[in-house]
């Protein structure tokens, strides 16, 4: 069984020039992604949150991660908007606390947030409160986060490339080819 860091480097290099931008950020990628993969393997539900500008990507992930052509067991993933359609109207810590309590009761604490978007966006606030959240965050350094630049003209392409690598990493860990904890 391969170590996740080495497997990731090999997978990045296998893609060639299209993914070469990720090679220098691979340590941030492997650290944060390995933790998310471990949580998925223990059966936790992913609660996906994006900023408004990345709603298209949220829909893409939710609709493709358990695609019919995949030959792996489905994983539990939901959008925050499907849990609480009025999520954009939440303001203030008390309302976030109540929503967090509802999610915690509903999912028996077997969940984690995956946030993709600008760090300053208020939609990130609920994920930032949890130590086990997974972030692809823009323009901000944050604990357990993979950081990107929102003004990068190739951002959408990079997000799709990251998702492809994430999906391959998920397959490799589910089928025992890679040890995400190493």
């Amino acid at each position: 069984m391969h170590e996740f860091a080495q497997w990731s480097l090999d997978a990045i290099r296998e893609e060639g020039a299209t993914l070469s931008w990720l090679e220098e950020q691979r340590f941030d990628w492997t650290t944060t992604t390995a933790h998310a993969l471990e949580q998925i393997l223990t059966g936790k539900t992913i609660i996906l949150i994006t900023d408004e500008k990345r709603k298209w990507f949220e829909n893409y992930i939710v609709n493709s991660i358990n695609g019919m052509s995949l030959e792996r067991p489905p994983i539990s993933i939901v959008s925050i908007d499907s849990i609480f359609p009025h999520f954009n109207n939440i303001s203030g810590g008390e309302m976030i606390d109540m929503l967090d309590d509802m999610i915690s009761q509903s999912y028996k604490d077997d969940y984690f947030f995956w946030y993709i978007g600008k760090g300053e966006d208020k939609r990130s606030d609920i994920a930032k409160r949890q130590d086990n959240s997974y972030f692809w965050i823009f323009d901000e350094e944050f604990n357990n986060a993979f950081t990107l630049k929102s003004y990068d003209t190739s951002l959408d392409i990079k997000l799709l490339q990251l998702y492809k690598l994430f999906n391959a990493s998920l397959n490799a860990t589910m089928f025992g080819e890679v040890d995400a904890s190493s």
Side-chain angles (χ1 to χ4, degrees), residues 3 8 42 56 76 86 128 134:
E3 289 184 347
S8 293
T42 62
W56 67 269
S76 182
H86 308 289
K128 287 180 174 179
Y134 179 49

Side-chain angles (χ1 to χ4, degrees), residues 124-135:
S124 71
D125 290 347
I126 194 168
K128 287 180 174 179
R129 291 173 166 225
Q130 302 286 329
D131 290 336
N132 66 342
S133 293
Y134 179 49
F135 294 92

Side-chain angles (χ1 to χ4, degrees), residues 24-37:
E24 69 183 50
Q25 290 182 277
R26 72 182 183 275
F27 295 112
D28 293 334
W29 166 260
T30 56
T31 303
T32 59
T33 303
H35 181 66
L37 293 170

Side-chain angles (χ1 to χ4, degrees), residues 33-178:
T33 303
H35 181 66
L37 293 170
E38 288 174 0
Q39 292 183 88
I40 292 168
L41 292 178
T42 62
K44 288 188 176 182
T45 297
I46 300 169
I47 300 177
L48 185 59
I49 307 169
T50 64
D51 60 13
E52 285 300 321
K53 199 167 183 183
R54 258 52 68 179
K55 288 302 251 180
W56 67 269
F57 193 49
E58 178 181 297
N59 290 329
Y60 178 79
I61 291 171
V62 169
N63 288 311
S64 66
I65 203 160
N66 289 320
M68 297 304 291
S69 62
L70 295 176
E71 297 178 3
R72 69 168 184 244
I75 63 167
S76 182
I77 184 169
V78 294
S79 161
I80 191 74
D81 298 306
S82 67
I83 295 170
F84 192 73
H86 308 289
F87 185 63
N88 282 342
N89 299 325
I90 288 182
S91 61
E94 190 174 310
M95 290 181 76
I96 292 174
D97 287 342
M98 288 189 300
L99 177 59
D100 200 22
D101 287 345
M102 189 250 334
I103 291 170
S104 184
Q105 290 175 1
S106 299
Y107 290 93
K108 309 289 187 237
D109 289 323
D110 283 336
Y111 68 93
F112 67 99
F113 294 109
W114 179 5
Y115 177 74
I116 303 168
K118 284 192 158 206
E120 65 191 28
D121 193 287
K122 73 175 192 162
R123 291 176 60 89
S124 71
D125 290 347
I126 194 168
K128 287 180 174 179
R129 291 173 166 225
Q130 302 286 329
D131 290 336
N132 66 342
S133 293
Y134 179 49
F135 294 92
W136 294 359
I137 203 162
F138 310 152
D139 308 328
E140 179 180 317
E141 296 293 323
F142 196 76
N143 187 36
N144 202 30
F146 183 77
T147 305
L148 296 156
K149 304 292 183 211
S150 66
Y151 51 84
D152 186 337
T153 56
S154 301
L155 179 61
D156 290 350
I157 293 167
K158 288 180 177 181
L159 287 172
L160 290 167
Q161 291 171 330
L162 285 173
Y163 176 73
K164 181 180 177 186
L165 182 58
F166 178 83
N167 205 34
S169 301
L170 183 58
N171 283 340
T173 55
M174 282 186 129
F175 294 124
E177 300 167 20
V178 175

